[in-house]
Amino acid sequence: MRRYVTWSILTLMVSLLIPGLAWAGEPTLDTGDTSFILVCTFLVFLMTPGLAFFYGGMVRKKNVLSTMMHSFIVICLVSVQWVLFGYTLAFGPDVKKIVGNLDLIGLSGMGTGIIGTIPDYVFMAFQLMFAIITAALISGAIAERMRFPAFIAFVLLWTTLVYDPLAHWVWGGGWLMTLGALDFAGGTVVHISSGVAGLVAALVVGKRLGHGVKTMTPHSLPFTVLGAGLLWFGWFGFNPGSALAANALAANALVTTNTAAASAALGWVIAEWLRFGKPTVLGAASGCIAGLVAITPAAGFVTPLASIIIGLVGGVVCFIAVAIVKGKLGYDDSLDAFGVHGVGGIWGALATGLFACPAVNELGTGLFYGNPAQLGIQAIGVIATIALSGILTFIILKVIGLFTPLRATVDEEEAGLDITLHGESAYHEGGGAVRDGGLVGTPAVS
């Protein structure tokens, strides 16, 4: 009896001292982790408006609004698609290691559950932001020439048929996850998939009028630098948040992310300086994005020293792809979706197989730490992503082309897509956007 009373008192004391105590294996909500991932969700959301500025500044002024509209409309389209069925395809209960089932359609049964230490709605919203920016990245390859109805159809079909299954393969319990492929925050899921899709789309839609003949210089580099800064800032939610907790792993991802971005910007600028004799602000902005792309799959697996190498190589390799290889091959990837995100993502995924350090994350051991098999697994992930995105992107565009033209007419493209497709102009004497013959907010001029 005395022993029973003693244990009862001890149990009561423990329950009073540690009110959050749960039985082993039972999910427990952590308000600190929840707050952290909420903030990271906001940061990743900001990346897509940042991308609108980044891309918008690099096109000619007659196409700036149509280019920025691509990013904005993707936010709207994918936000609804994800709630209706996108999330369940990506993270629903597994079906043959290929895709999630429809148990969570319309977020059915969600809202009170816990994933890890955060509410299931917070996890869902965080993952939504990745789906949004992935589709938006593709738009850079077809800027200044793709018709808006075709773009809308493409975003919905591509996100459903490519992004959602791929996210399941890598993060949702699919076959690449089972195989042991490492992708901390989206090197394959986000960057290789969007970069390859962009390249295929650029080839299918065709080159811009005057490509290779006319000069197509960026109309506003300050826009582009602002966008690059917002992307860099938002990446502090993108990579650290992928730890799904406010912990040491998130801190490591923060340091490696910033270091790789800085290293890549330096690498790009130095390569550009040596090649063309002058360093440019566009090169610095592009370089930092290349580094952010390259470190994305590795951020939670590698040391800060390794991130310097990953960033530096990523900056130089992406510079070569954009400034040299693209010109020699002659394809028109308008804003270098493939040259930066495709090439940078491939390097980053393979680099993860080289530099993954078990002292950073016990889930990953790369070639340089005694596990050469990991590099092979990473290569399989890269090839599978290229195949899935490349083949399905081609099929999707060809099917859409049966119902609506993919690209603007010659007259529409010459006049600019802002006016011809959206009835607006970003710049007009006296200020304001032109709509229906007059400035927005002013009477139409007869």
Side-chain angles (χ1 to χ4, degrees):
M1 182 65 179
R2 182 179 299 173
R3 180 177 298 176
Y4 174 78
V5 172
T6 300
W7 278 110
S8 298
I9 294 173
L10 288 173
T11 301
L12 178 62
M13 291 175 63
V14 169
S15 64
L16 290 173
L17 290 172
I18 312 176
L21 185 68
W23 297 108
E26 181 181 342
T28 305
L29 181 69
D30 186 291
T31 55
D33 291 344
T34 301
S35 299
F36 175 63
I37 301 304
L38 281 170
V39 171
C40 289
T41 301
F42 307 153
L43 288 170
V44 182
F45 174 86
L46 184 63
M47 292 174 71
T48 303
L51 183 71
F53 277 99
F54 185 73
Y55 279 171
M58 286 195 286
V59 297
R60 291 165 289 179
K61 65 180 181 180
K62 64 182 181 180
N63 296 312
V64 58
L65 293 180
S66 64
T67 299
M68 298 181 82
M69 180 64 160
H70 285 158
S71 292
F72 195 86
I73 203 67
V74 165
I75 296 174
C76 305
L77 292 170
V78 179
S79 290
V80 175
Q81 185 266 4
W82 193 249
V83 169
L84 289 177
F85 53 82
Y87 178 77
T88 194
L89 293 176
F91 292 99
D94 177 70
V95 178
K96 300 185 182 301
K97 301 297 180 181
I98 299 299
V99 72
N101 69 19
L102 299 180
D103 284 1
L104 304 180
I105 193 166
L107 306 185
S108 176
M110 294 182 59
T112 58
I114 298 173
I115 296 178
T117 58
I118 63 176
D120 53 6
Y121 269 6
V122 174
F123 177 81
M124 180 278 301
F126 181 67
Q127 293 297 336
L128 163 63
M129 303 311 160
F130 285 69
I132 288 171
I133 195 167
T134 304
L137 288 170
I138 302 170
S139 68
I142 46 78
E144 301 195 289
R145 61 198 186 278
M146 190 170 190
R147 298 192 75 247
F148 193 59
F151 180 74
I152 289 176
F154 174 77
V155 167
L156 290 174
L157 289 173
W158 190 89
T159 301
T160 302
L161 300 177
V162 179
Y163 181 86
D164 296 342
L166 184 57
H168 186 80
W169 288 7
V170 177
W171 295 328
W175 71 275
L176 282 175
M177 186 176 183
T178 302
L179 185 65
L182 303 177
D183 189 350
F184 192 72
T188 52
V189 181
V190 176
H191 297 294
I192 299 177
S193 69
S194 62
V196 170
L199 176 61
V200 172
L203 295 173
V204 172
V205 175
K207 301 176 183 180
R208 289 168 290 178
L209 293 177
H211 179 261
V213 178
K214 295 181 180 179
T215 300
M216 299 181 181
T217 54
H219 91 283
S220 177
L221 285 179
F223 263 31
T224 298
V225 174
L226 171 63
L230 290 172
L231 285 165
W232 195 337
F233 177 63
W235 234 288
F236 293 140
F238 200 85
N239 287 357
S242 294
L244 297 179
N247 56 20
L249 190 59
N252 188 87
L254 169 66
V255 175
T256 56
T257 297
N258 188 68
T259 305
S263 178
L266 293 173
W268 186 302
V269 167
I270 292 170
E272 179 181 55
W273 206 338
L274 293 173
R275 174 74 176 180
F276 300 117
K278 293 182 180 179
T280 67
V281 68
L282 179 58
S286 301
C288 84
I289 302 303
L292 291 165
V293 170
I295 198 61
T296 289
F301 295 108
V302 304
T303 66
L305 286 177
S307 72
I308 294 176
I309 300 172
I310 293 172
L312 188 64
V313 173
V316 173
V317 167
C318 290
F319 167 78
I320 293 171
V322 169
I324 300 174
V325 175
K326 185 175 77 166
K328 290 186 179 297
L329 296 180
Y331 63 89
D332 186 16
D333 176 1
S334 307
L335 309 179
D336 300 310
F338 177 73
V340 173
H341 296 277
V343 173
I346 290 170
W347 159 243
L350 296 176
T352 305
L354 297 173
F355 294 100
C357 175
V360 173
N361 189 330
E362 61 183 10
L363 298 179
T365 303
L367 172 65
F368 295 150
Y369 292 88
N371 181 25
Q374 189 63 54
L375 182 59
I377 293 172
Q378 296 301 106
I380 291 172
V382 168
I383 294 169
T385 302
I386 292 172
L388 177 71
S389 184
I391 294 170
L392 287 184
T393 297
F394 180 82
I395 293 172
I396 290 168
L397 287 169
K398 288 299 183 180
V399 170
I400 293 172
L402 298 175
F403 298 93
T404 185
L406 292 177
R407 70 175 295 159
T409 65
V410 172
D411 289 342
E412 288 172 338
E413 196 170 333
E414 286 283 5
L417 303 190
D418 291 0
I419 285 290
T420 57
L421 297 187
H422 301 288
E424 298 174 302
S425 176
Y427 307 104
H428 188 271
E429 291 183 8
V434 175
R435 186 192 298 274
D436 297 328
L439 298 179
V440 173
T442 66
V445 179
S446 60

